Amino acid sequence: MKLHTIDTELFKLDGGAMFGVVPKSIWQKKYPADENNLCVWAMRCLLIEDEDKLILIDTGLGNKQSDKFFSYYHLHGLHTLKTSIQKAGFSVADITDVILTHFHFDHVGGAIDRVNDQSVAAFPNATYWSNQTHWNEATVKPNPREQASFFKENILPLQTLQKIQFVEEKQDVAFSKNVRIRFAYGHTKGLMMPIIQYGNVEIIYISDLIPSIGHLPISYVAGYDSQPLVSMQEKEAMLQYALENNSVLFFEHDPYFACCNLQMTEKGIREKEVFDLSDLNLKHGLSF
């Protein structure tokens, strides 16, 4: 098995929206805001070589939207989804599976391209994976809190093109030899978090349950979460699980750090070491 960090563009979101009720005087120490209260965030995906599968987790923002739309989010940086895949030694045609943690636009936008005003699969040979609960949440009757994050042009072509399949919705459902999926319902109903057994280390692609290291405290819940109290309960359970199993958290949105392990402190569970995916062999003595 091999893992590849797939960096896409950086973008900006309102700091208050990202940290909810937490005062700016606290969160801005780690994530400074600009004059418009916007903070920089990553859209960090993960590519997994697992036997005969080449699995991509999430697809970033994509490039289908208007210039006006992109002006709200200030895309910048040196990387794109496709250039990062190429840097890892692959092409879009090599991807066999795309796990979409959820259908918010910054996670699914790169799944579908527009070519000559037609929607096409960005990964033509891949099966895309979601679950029935989340599909219904995004396409049947989105709740008013989330509906602005579900863009039909990112989602419905997956069905029209017969690319979407659904994972069985039970905790720790096996996806491939070394990947299983855990579900959460506070950020959005049916959020999928892949858990990867990488040598003797377990890596949790934590998605928007914990967007960054700055969100490790239980009460630090984004204003985007549809059910914040449920998010808090799920965070507490996941952090306890990760601490007990010495798991590594892989962060999708932290602009500074991709990974951390955990320790118990007087303030609760917090990061112990922060590092990049490429450091895992050195720091954790991986064996294969």
Side-chain angles (χ1 to χ4, degrees), residues 103-104 108 112 135 138-139 149-160 164:
F103 289 130
H104 289 171
V108 71
I112 295 293
W135 178 268
T139 65
S149 293
F150 295 132
F151 297 172
K152 62 182 181 180
E153 61 268 30
N154 288 336
I155 305 169
L156 296 182
L158 296 171
Q159 185 178 60
T160 304
I164 192 74

Side-chain angles (χ1 to χ4, degrees), residues 130-262:
S130 182
N131 61 86
Q132 189 70 63
T133 292
H134 190 60
W135 178 268
N136 292 345
E137 188 73 5
T139 65
V140 178
K141 191 177 180 181
N143 68 71
R145 191 175 179 88
E146 282 189 272
Q147 61 184 358
S149 293
F150 295 132
F151 297 172
K152 62 182 181 180
E153 61 268 30
N154 288 336
I155 305 169
L156 296 182
L158 296 171
Q159 185 178 60
T160 304
L161 297 168
Q162 298 183 323
K163 285 292 186 179
I164 192 74
Q165 290 193 32
F166 296 144
V167 173
E168 183 182 3
E169 200 171 337
K170 65 179 183 180
Q171 291 296 10
D172 293 324
V173 62
F175 183 82
S176 65
K177 181 179 179 181
N178 294 295
V179 180
R180 66 188 198 275
I181 293 175
R182 184 165 290 196
F183 292 84
Y185 297 86
H187 177 66
T188 187
K189 290 182 180 178
L191 175 75
M192 302 199 305
M193 295 173 289
I195 300 177
I196 304 108
Q197 192 64 44
Y198 183 46
N200 57 2
V201 174
E202 183 179 82
I203 300 174
I204 304 172
Y205 190 97
I206 201 70
S207 189
D208 280 359
L209 180 63
I210 307 176
S212 73
I213 287 177
H215 289 84
L216 286 175
I218 300 300
S219 61
Y220 286 36
V221 174
Y224 301 110
D225 286 21
S226 61
Q227 299 184 81
L229 293 179
V230 174
S231 290
M232 291 170 65
Q233 295 168 354
E234 292 172 336
K235 280 177 63 176
E236 185 172 23
M238 182 62 93
L239 287 171
Q240 187 62 43
Y241 169 87
L243 179 67
E244 292 173 357
N245 290 277
N246 197 29
S247 304
V248 169
L249 302 185
F250 184 96
F251 296 102
E252 191 158 6
H253 287 311
D254 195 298
Y256 309 116
F257 304 109
C259 304
C260 82
N261 54 13
L262 301 169

Side-chain angles (χ1 to χ4, degrees), residues 1-3 48-51 178-179 196-199 288:
M1 168 181 263
K2 292 183 179 179
L3 302 181
I48 306 169
E49 297 182 59
D50 192 7
E51 294 192 324
N178 294 295
V179 180
I196 304 108
Q197 192 64 44
Y198 183 46
F288 296 91

